[in-house]
Amino acid sequence: MNVATRTRASLASAPQSSRWQSIGSWLVWPLLMVLVIVLALGIKNNYWLQVTVTAEIMVIAAVGLYVTFGLSGQVSLGQAAFFAIGGYTTGLLVTELSIDLGPAMIIAVIASIGVGLLIGIPSLRLKGHYLALVTLGFGQVVALILINWSWLTGGALGVRNIVAPLFGSFELVKVSHWAIFIGIVMVIAIYVVQMVRTSSYGRAMQAVRDSDVAAAAMGVSLKHVKVLAFTIGAAFAGLAGALNAGFITYISPGTYNLALSVSMLAMVVVGGAKSPWGAVIGAVLLTFLPEVLRSVQEYYMVIYGVVLLIMVALVPGGIWGLIRDGIGWVTRRIRPARAASAEEVTR
């Protein structure tokens, strides 16, 4: 009798729980939009507001790399190259051709997608550290082009005065304006990646990540899935680079080095490679952490490295995995109490 009562109570609460989960999943996005606007208008310190904008840009790059690495299992050390393609395409279109910033950014993303296809298609047969080496070499080639093709890129001097209206006469002047604009783009980027993750393509990417042999045996096209994942990562990195160029108005080759690619990969790993929210957490943490530790001067890089090592060694699932496990533990403790209360009500 008690078993039947518990079963009826659980069945009655299941639709309600599912309904609340559905409502909650849709409320996340407007709440994030509101949070972005509140932070942009609420942070009065100009320095920390600029760091916030940088964190938003890195979130866009990190969620793109999540699709490539976390969702499909392809290790890429060339994200800085796509970041550079987006930044330099935007900068050159604005300064040399006097194109508005918005159209220049769109063209920059298209250019990043095109280069991503050129690199992704020949690399289809590679995986693991072989693919990492290819993307590493690609990043080094782009870095050398930025320095040596001075007739195009300005060489070591870079590109300056990347200032233009976004569209027509609409111009972003204050840092808070940039924080709102880039923050909204960031929320849209996270939403798109979340939709990709839950789509049939996302499930195919996860299958390839877990076992490409088994995925191919089940009819998954490895070619299409890998190229799509690699191209999405390139597109988001290019978008982040374009936004960064428009925000800081100056770009130079020294920004787009191997350290930037490694930092992006660390954001996904530390935050949690199993979810786009892990990439978000990792990007925010690893953007703010060096700034917070600057007060300890020469020791801050040592502390920064130790924190990363501890996170990778002790929390292999990343911060998001730790949060998810904590929520699961609390949920398992709450459910018996709810079932007991429902049983009391039905008696």
Side-chain angles (χ1 to χ4, degrees):
M1 186 67 177
N2 289 336
V3 174
T5 304
R6 291 194 189 99
T7 302
R8 286 195 299 271
S10 62
L11 289 174
S13 62
Q16 183 177 4
S17 175
S18 177
R19 184 166 59 251
W20 280 111
Q21 287 178 359
S22 177
I23 294 173
S25 64
W26 282 106
L27 280 177
V28 167
W29 310 110
L31 288 177
L32 278 178
M33 292 283 190
V34 172
L35 178 62
V36 163
I37 297 173
V38 169
L39 286 176
L41 300 178
I43 300 176
K44 301 303 180 182
N45 187 299
N46 197 58
Y47 172 76
W48 288 110
L49 186 57
Q50 291 185 39
V51 176
T52 301
V53 175
T54 302
E56 292 172 344
I57 293 172
M58 297 314 297
V59 165
I60 295 171
V63 295
L65 182 56
Y66 157 77
V67 176
T68 304
F69 172 66
L71 200 56
S72 68
Q74 300 180 80
V75 181
S76 175
L77 291 175
Q79 293 302 103
F82 296 115
F83 198 85
I85 291 169
Y88 268 87
T89 302
T90 301
L92 293 173
L93 288 175
V94 170
T95 57
E96 300 297 330
L97 301 180
S98 300
I99 295 178
D100 288 350
L101 200 58
M105 289 181 181
I106 295 172
I107 296 172
V109 174
I110 295 173
S112 300
I113 292 173
V115 176
L117 287 172
L118 290 177
I119 301 300
I121 292 175
S123 304
L124 284 174
R125 296 181 179 275
L126 302 176
K127 59 182 179 179
H129 55 277
Y130 296 106
L131 179 60
L133 287 174
V134 169
T135 55
L136 174 62
F138 166 66
Q140 296 300 86
V141 168
V142 172
L144 290 174
I145 289 175
L146 296 180
I147 295 175
N148 295 314
W149 288 15
S150 56
W151 58 272
L152 177 65
T153 65
L157 297 177
V159 181
R160 302 174 183 271
N161 299 321
I162 308 173
V163 180
L166 192 62
F167 290 101
S169 60
F170 181 73
E171 189 171 0
L172 301 172
V173 179
K174 297 181 179 179
V175 179
S176 58
H177 297 165
W178 278 101
I180 294 174
F181 171 67
I182 296 179
I184 291 173
V185 175
M186 177 195 72
V187 174
I188 295 173
I190 299 171
Y191 174 78
V192 170
V193 170
Q194 183 68 11
M195 292 299 101
V196 170
R197 176 175 177 258
T198 55
S199 68
S200 59
Y201 289 105
R203 290 190 292 271
M205 290 177 190
Q206 294 177 59
V208 172
R209 177 197 65 198
D210 295 337
S211 174
D212 55 356
V213 176
M218 295 297 293
V220 175
S221 174
L222 301 183
K223 174 182 177 181
H224 294 153
V225 168
K226 288 185 176 182
V227 171
L228 178 62
F230 197 85
T231 305
I232 291 174
F236 278 93
L239 174 60
L243 291 169
N244 182 68
F247 174 62
I248 65 177
T249 72
Y250 168 70
I251 51 177
S252 65
T255 305
Y256 311 102
N257 50 26
L258 177 61
L260 179 60
S261 291
V262 174
S263 179
M264 290 180 183
L265 187 60
M267 290 172 182
V268 179
V269 173
V270 171
K274 298 296 185 182
S275 171
W277 298 110
V280 173
I281 294 171
V284 173
L285 176 65
L286 296 190
T287 302
F288 275 92
L289 187 59
E291 304 301 327
V292 173
L293 294 177
R294 285 190 189 277
S295 59
V296 295
Q297 297 179 0
E298 68 269 19
Y299 298 105
Y300 92 94
M301 284 303 294
V302 176
I303 299 174
Y304 179 71
V306 169
V307 170
L308 290 184
L309 287 174
I310 292 174
M311 288 300 304
V312 173
L314 300 182
V315 192
I319 298 174
W320 178 251
L322 193 64
I323 294 173
R324 184 184 57 197
D325 292 342
I327 294 174
W329 183 85
V330 172
T331 303
R332 287 193 298 272
R333 294 299 181 275
I334 292 175
R335 279 177 180 171
R338 285 182 175 176
S341 62
E343 182 180 354
E344 292 294 331
V345 171
T346 54
R347 281 179 178 175

